[in-house]
């Protein structure tokens, strides 16, 4: 597989710290209630309140989800309540429908800071704390930050924080934090696309292929796509299957793959907003992600046992070119930070399941065909020897 990627990023990681007034026991009780409905994860000591407020990254929806996962790790390590700035899901400077993510407030239950039970004192002189300092050097769940601290955490693009430090240096980050983020999702309030829902109502198995083809183009060769699709169809033989592809810049993609519809029978999924497209990826019975954090984030939030996620390596993990060389020795920090075992079958860039996962791929697809679900012991299985080294004691 030939993958051509050019990435130019700037790193901007800072933490702005203020102090909070001590509040009454009533407000402390309100804080605990607030946490119970999803303001934060981790064990929060009401006698020593800490708040982390995640500022809005200037990036797309997948990046904002990735930032949230990093922030969950940060909050858990410090025993802090996590909130979002009030404009976290706003479209920002690019005021168009595709980049308007405010509907996420409806189904991702992390509260805006304006609903936090503590009111900060007048801003004092900020104390700068680097993300590396917070994540790595402060003792976890100990006297790292003074009681009553409210820290505004600015990650910039999670590609910056993530690949320069947070994700790259935190193997198993997604694997640890994704189950906790799922607890904050109200699945009943996800937007519904009539097109995909119609296929589901008709009893079809919906397979969605996500290919990033906008600001960064991830090229998937025709023979790789054809081989992956043939394996999926073989395991789902006897069932009605609908293959859909979600891709940016559809006309450019067709120019590079002019006969893909005639050759494969696949249809293009047209969803005009990022939230709607994200929800469709979450709902797919089978999701093939081809290296973009947007699709990784959607797969990560799909309910356990309700999706088969065929995961190509992150676009930065070029070492995993084929199953024979994609071993624990060269699965770099990008791969290890983004990998999560649940629902997932990791693939190399040639589209083949990595060593040890051939059986999981077949078992998950067959089970999805038979019952539209996968037993959790099968969905959870993994063969990542490196992951045990970083699992919490």
């Amino acid at each position: 597989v030939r993958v051509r990627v050019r990435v130019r990023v700037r790193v901007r990681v800072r933490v702005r710290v203020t102090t909070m007034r001590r509040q009454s026991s009533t407000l402390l009780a309100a804080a605990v209630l607030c946490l119970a409905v999803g303001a934060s994860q981790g064990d929060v000591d009401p006698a020593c309140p800490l708040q982390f407020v995640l500022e809005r990254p200037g990036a797309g929806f997948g990046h904002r989800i990735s930032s949230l996962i990093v922030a969950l790790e940060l909050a858990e390590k410090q025993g802090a309540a996590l909130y979002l700035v009030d404009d976290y899901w706003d479209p920002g400077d690019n005021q168009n429908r595709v980049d308007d993510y405010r509907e996420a407030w409806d189904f991702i239950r992390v509260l805006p800071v304006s609903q936090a039970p503590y009111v900060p004192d007048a801003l004092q002189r900020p104390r700068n704390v680097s993300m590396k300092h917070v994540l790595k050097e402060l003792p976890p769940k100990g006297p790292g930050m003074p009681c009553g601290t409210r820290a505004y955490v600015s990650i910039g693009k999670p590609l910056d924080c993530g690949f320069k430090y947070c994700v790259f240096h935190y193997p198993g980050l997604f694997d640890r934090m994704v189950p906790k983020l799922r607890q904050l999702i109200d699945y009943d309030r996800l937007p519904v696309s009539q097109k995909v829902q119609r296929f589901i109502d008709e009893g079809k198995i919906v397979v969605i292929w996500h290919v990033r083809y906008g600001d960064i183009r991830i090229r998937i060769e025709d023979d790789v796509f054809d081989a992956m699709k043939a394996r999926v169809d073989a395991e789902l033989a006897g069932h009605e299957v609908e293959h859909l592809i979600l891709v940016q810049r559809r006309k450019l993609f067709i120019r590079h793959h002019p006969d893909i519809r005639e050759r494969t029978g696949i249809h293009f999924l047209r969803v005009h907003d990022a939230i709607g497209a994200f929800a469709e990826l979450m709902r797919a019975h089978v999701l093939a992600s081809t290296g973009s954090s947007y699709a990784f984030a959607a797969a990560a939030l799909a309910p356990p046992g309700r999706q088969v996620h065929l995961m190509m390596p992150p676009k930065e993990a070029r070492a995993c070119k084929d199953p024979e060389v994609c071993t624990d020795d060269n699965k770099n920090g990008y791969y290890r930070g983004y990998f999560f075992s649940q629902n997932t079958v990791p693939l190399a860039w040639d589209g083949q399941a990595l060593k040890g996962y051939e059986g999981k791929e077949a078992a998950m697809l067959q089970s999805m065909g038979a019952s539209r679900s996968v037993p959790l012991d099968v969905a959870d299985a993994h063969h990542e020897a490196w992951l045990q080294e970083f699992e919490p004691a």
Side-chain angles (χ1 to χ4, degrees):
V1 178
R2 294 191 299 275
V3 181
R4 303 180 183 90
V5 178
R6 177 177 295 173
V7 182
R8 180 177 298 168
V9 296
R10 294 181 178 177
V11 180
R12 183 175 68 91
V13 179
R14 61 185 173 84
V15 176
R16 185 171 79 247
V17 178
T18 64
T19 57
M20 296 180 295
R21 288 198 303 266
R22 293 290 184 172
Q23 303 295 310
S24 67
S25 58
T26 302
L27 284 181
L28 290 175
V32 175
L33 175 62
C34 193
L35 297 176
V37 298
S40 176
Q41 293 292 300
D43 299 323
V44 180
D45 181 2
C48 182
L50 297 173
Q51 288 183 0
F52 285 164
V53 182
L54 181 58
E55 296 194 90
R56 188 185 74 200
F61 189 69
H63 292 172
R64 298 193 198 194
I65 295 290
S66 300
S67 286
L68 185 52
I69 289 173
V70 172
L72 284 171
E73 173 99 338
L74 171 67
E76 181 172 89
K77 287 178 75 70
Q78 288 295 303
L82 178 65
Y83 298 92
L84 304 178
V85 291
D86 289 75
D87 64 348
Y88 188 81
W89 300 115
D90 283 12
D93 297 332
N94 190 8
Q95 300 283 337
N96 64 61
R97 182 182 176 190
V98 172
D99 295 319
D100 190 345
Y101 313 130
R102 283 173 289 192
E103 197 172 355
W105 288 119
D106 294 337
F107 63 89
I108 299 179
R109 297 173 296 186
V110 182
L111 296 180
V113 69
S114 62
Q115 296 184 28
Y118 302 110
V119 179
D121 286 322
L123 285 177
Q124 302 188 16
R125 189 171 184 177
R127 178 166 64 90
N128 293 325
V129 182
S130 71
M131 178 65 75
K132 180 176 180 179
H133 176 63
V134 174
L135 281 176
K136 200 74 172 178
E137 297 173 12
L138 293 182
K141 295 186 179 178
M145 283 191 170
C147 297
T149 294
R150 170 180 281 180
Y152 285 80
V153 182
S154 178
I155 296 179
K157 293 182 180 179
L159 286 178
D160 300 345
C161 171
F163 295 158
K164 295 298 182 183
Y165 187 82
C166 298
V167 172
F168 190 93
H169 290 280
Y170 274 81
L173 171 68
F174 266 52
D175 201 61
R176 289 190 301 275
M177 292 296 113
V178 158
K180 299 184 179 185
L181 183 55
R182 283 195 188 117
Q183 296 174 17
L184 306 180
I185 304 299
D186 186 345
Y187 290 96
D188 291 335
R189 302 192 71 174
L190 280 171
V192 177
S193 161
Q194 296 304 315
K195 184 172 186 179
V196 171
Q197 190 61 45
R198 175 169 58 85
F199 293 139
I200 293 175
D201 292 342
E202 292 171 355
K204 294 181 178 179
I205 298 175
V206 176
V207 181
I208 299 183
W209 304 77
H210 178 266
V211 181
R212 184 165 179 171
Y213 225 69
D215 53 344
I216 297 174
R217 297 177 200 167
I218 301 177
R219 298 291 295 271
I220 305 300
E221 301 299 332
D222 287 342
D223 58 343
V224 173
F225 178 83
D226 292 350
M228 288 176 62
K229 182 176 181 296
R231 284 204 320 276
V232 171
D233 287 340
E235 299 297 348
L236 295 175
H239 303 282
E240 278 196 273
V241 181
E242 191 71 37
H243 288 273
L244 303 168
I245 187 167
L246 181 64
V247 61
Q248 298 163 294
R249 302 189 68 182
R250 181 175 55 89
K251 292 181 179 179
L252 179 63
F253 181 82
I254 292 174
R255 189 188 311 162
H256 292 153
H257 304 271
D259 65 340
I260 188 169
R261 287 178 289 191
E262 294 76 10
R263 191 182 74 250
T264 66
I266 199 168
H267 298 98
F268 284 91
L269 177 60
R270 303 185 187 186
V271 183
H272 300 294
D273 64 282
I275 292 284
F278 191 84
E280 299 300 32
L281 297 184
M282 286 177 62
R283 279 200 178 87
H285 297 113
V286 181
L287 171 59
S289 63
T290 58
S292 171
S293 62
Y294 180 78
F296 291 164
L301 298 185
R306 305 296 293 183
Q307 184 176 90
V308 181
H309 175 215
L310 303 178
M311 176 186 179
M312 280 189 164
K315 56 186 177 297
E316 297 78 10
R318 301 183 188 182
C320 292
K321 294 179 181 178
D322 63 66
E324 295 303 317
V325 301
C326 189
T327 64
D328 277 355
D329 290 337
N330 64 17
K331 288 174 180 172
N332 63 19
Y334 309 133
Y335 181 98
R336 296 182 179 199
Y338 266 129
F339 175 82
F340 53 95
S341 57
Q342 196 160 74
N343 295 348
T344 296
V345 178
L347 313 177
W349 275 116
D350 68 354
Q352 298 296 317
L354 298 190
K355 185 178 180 180
Y357 286 97
E358 303 91 337
K360 180 178 181 179
E361 180 183 78
M364 288 190 72
L365 288 170
Q366 291 170 13
S367 182
M368 186 61 69
S371 62
R372 303 302 188 271
S373 64
V374 178
L376 293 184
D377 59 332
V378 177
D380 287 342
H382 71 82
H383 301 278
E384 306 293 309
W386 60 268
L387 194 57
Q388 275 78 7
E389 303 173 30
F390 303 98
E391 288 177 348

